[in-house]
Amino acid sequence: MKTIEWLEDRVRFIDQTKLPLEETYRETDLYTVIGDAIRSLSIRGAPLIGVAAAYGVALAALRSRQTDVQSFHDEIECAITGLASTRPTAVNLFRALERMKVVLYSNGSIDEVRQLLIQEATRIHMEDAEMCLRIGEHGAELLPDRARILTHCNTGALATGGEGTALSIITTAHRQGNSIMVYASETRPLLQGARLTTWELMNAGIPVTLITDNTAAFLMQQKKIDCVIVGADRIARNGDAANKVGTYMHAVTAKHHGIPLYVAAPSSSIDSTLEEGGKIPIEERNGSEVTEGFGRRIAPVGVDVYAPAFDVTPARLISAIITEKGIHRHPFDFR
Ligand code: MRU
């Protein structure tokens, strides 16, 4: 399974909204299709959004019919602005687009810059795959033998350009012969845990048990969880970490039970311009994802809904942050 792939002049990606019932791949040469796919969560997960947006810029450059440099720059800037407006929380998106913008202003003909943009997008993808491997290696060291791990949302190959972040730690430990087992919380309302994490872990032959989000505290009380590992969409300088809504709930509960909670993310998820997590922009999703997700209405028509996609876990609830550079412990200071 290749979550996303550059094919000469177009992008191929798996439509995650169809999983696990259908493994459907889509191909496009339009950056707007990439933008819509990110907005609708066909393409999702912080690192993957960055990779996809970079490919989107490359597509825009390839399709452009402009012949003078100024108009070419204007057209690609417009594509960058459109891609940047898709989702606000994952900083990887903005990081990748900034890199593409720097390359856009390289010296050279339009054709040369096009090639440089394709190369840069591919480099962002490859670098992410490499960071995932390193995160897996560093994080696997933290796991006790036969660890029972709780994870939230989806942080695997579907969410990144490589093996994943939190899930890379899990797959690495499994490969090393640690007989781990995983509890995947379903992750309301879009069920990334139930649909995607279980699918990935079952395909990898890793024992996984699905729980509803509100079962986690009971499992911890029964001493059935050794650690919690999650990803992050944006980490502030002090270590506060935004991740899928519900992460904070798991962090509070883990702290209460004396269970370590680890955050795994590439350094492209760190936003050192923000001193603390209160400044991280939190996306709000359409209430219909709660009242009638997957086409089935479960709440009265007209009910008010509050649907943040993410929450912020304060650094004091995080035992360690694992990046490709190693294991970071308190006090966090990401500059
Ligand atoms: O809304 P999503 O599915 O894009 O949210 C994804 C998450 O919250 C992941 O945990 C996060 O991006 C880390 S993925 C490696």
Side-chain angles (χ1 to χ4, degrees):
M1 188 267 302
K2 280 196 176 140
T3 304
I4 196 162
E5 214 179 341
W6 176 263
L7 303 172
E8 303 273 327
D9 57 355
R10 59 200 194 287
V11 170
R12 182 173 193 260
F13 63 92
I14 191 164
D15 183 346
Q16 301 194 33
T17 60
K18 302 271 194 294
L19 286 171
L21 304 182
E22 285 171 39
E23 193 172 330
T24 307
Y25 292 83
R26 292 169 58 190
E27 284 186 19
T28 185
D29 60 359
L30 295 174
Y31 84 87
T32 48
V33 170
I34 298 289
D36 289 344
I38 294 174
R39 216 175 263 112
S40 65
L41 271 61
S42 292
I43 293 175
R44 50 148 296 282
L48 185 68
I49 294 173
V51 171
Y55 281 140
V57 177
L59 287 179
L62 217 50
R63 291 268 305 189
S64 173
R65 294 289 159 262
Q66 304 295 346
T67 49
D68 78 285
V69 173
Q70 178 65 51
S71 313
F72 177 69
H73 284 167
D74 291 349
E75 187 177 330
I76 306 310
E77 281 252 16
C78 178
I80 291 175
T81 307
L83 288 160
S85 71
T86 51
R87 297 192 75 189
T89 303
V91 74
N92 315 60
L93 172 69
F94 307 102
R95 279 282 175 83
L97 291 174
E98 273 161 28
R99 281 177 63 168
M100 296 302 282
K101 198 161 166 176
V102 169
V103 173
L104 174 64
Y105 288 96
S106 312
N107 289 327
S109 68
I110 291 178
D111 252 351
E112 284 163 348
V113 172
R114 272 194 189 105
Q115 291 312 313
L116 290 175
L117 286 167
I118 295 170
Q119 281 168 21
E120 184 68 357
T122 310
R123 194 174 301 123
I124 289 170
H125 190 173
M126 293 309 117
E127 283 175 14
D128 190 62
E130 186 59 33
M131 288 191 282
C132 288
L133 288 176
R134 299 283 92 80
I135 290 169
E137 287 163 6
H138 294 305
E141 288 173 22
L142 288 167
L143 302 185
D145 211 30
R146 309 180 72 80
R148 298 156 305 170
I149 303 159
L150 172 68
T151 191
H152 188 61
C153 196
N154 171 265
T155 61
L158 290 169
T160 64
E163 272 208 15
T165 56
L167 275 204
S168 173
I169 295 175
I170 287 167
T171 48
T172 304
H174 175 75
R175 260 199 311 272
Q176 290 173 349
N178 188 341
S179 306
I180 52 163
M181 66 90 61
V182 179
Y183 288 101
S185 55
E186 61 179 351
T187 316
R188 282 280 294 152
L190 295 178
L191 304 176
Q192 290 91 331
R195 296 186 300 110
L196 310 177
T197 299
T198 53
W199 186 75
E200 283 200 53
L201 291 176
M202 288 172 79
N203 286 345
I206 299 174
V208 56
T209 301
L210 176 64
I211 59 166
T212 59
D213 297 327
N214 42 10
T215 298
F218 187 47
L219 270 179
M220 291 186 198
Q221 191 183 46
Q222 294 176 81
K223 303 200 184 313
K224 287 186 176 165
I225 306 281
D226 298 305
C227 64
V228 183
I229 318 181
V230 293
D233 289 76
R234 194 185 294 225
I235 300 174
R237 197 190 308 164
N238 71 345
D240 292 351
N243 190 49
K244 178 56 58 193
V245 69
T247 302
Y248 174 50
M249 174 179 75
H250 290 322
V252 170
T253 318
K255 187 74 167 181
H256 177 78
H257 289 93
I259 296 166
L261 175 128
Y262 303 121
V263 171
S267 45
S268 53
S269 301
I270 294 172
D271 184 352
S272 50
T273 68
L274 298 184
E275 263 167 60
E276 45 92 17
K279 304 221 165 55
I280 298 175
I282 298 295
E283 175 183 12
E284 276 191 41
R285 302 286 301 178
N286 195 308
S288 63
E289 291 180 351
V290 177
T291 55
E292 53 200 290
F294 307 100
R296 181 157 191 266
R297 172 161 286 283
I298 55 166
V301 174
V303 68
D304 284 338
V305 179
Y306 173 49
F310 302 96
D311 59 26
V312 179
T313 298
R316 68 188 144 75
L317 300 180
I318 300 172
S319 307
I321 296 177
I322 300 126
T323 71
E324 75 282 2
K325 294 183 181 140
I327 299 168
H328 307 261
R329 301 217 181 244
H330 289 269
F332 303 116
D333 188 10
F334 294 108
R335 282 172 199 273

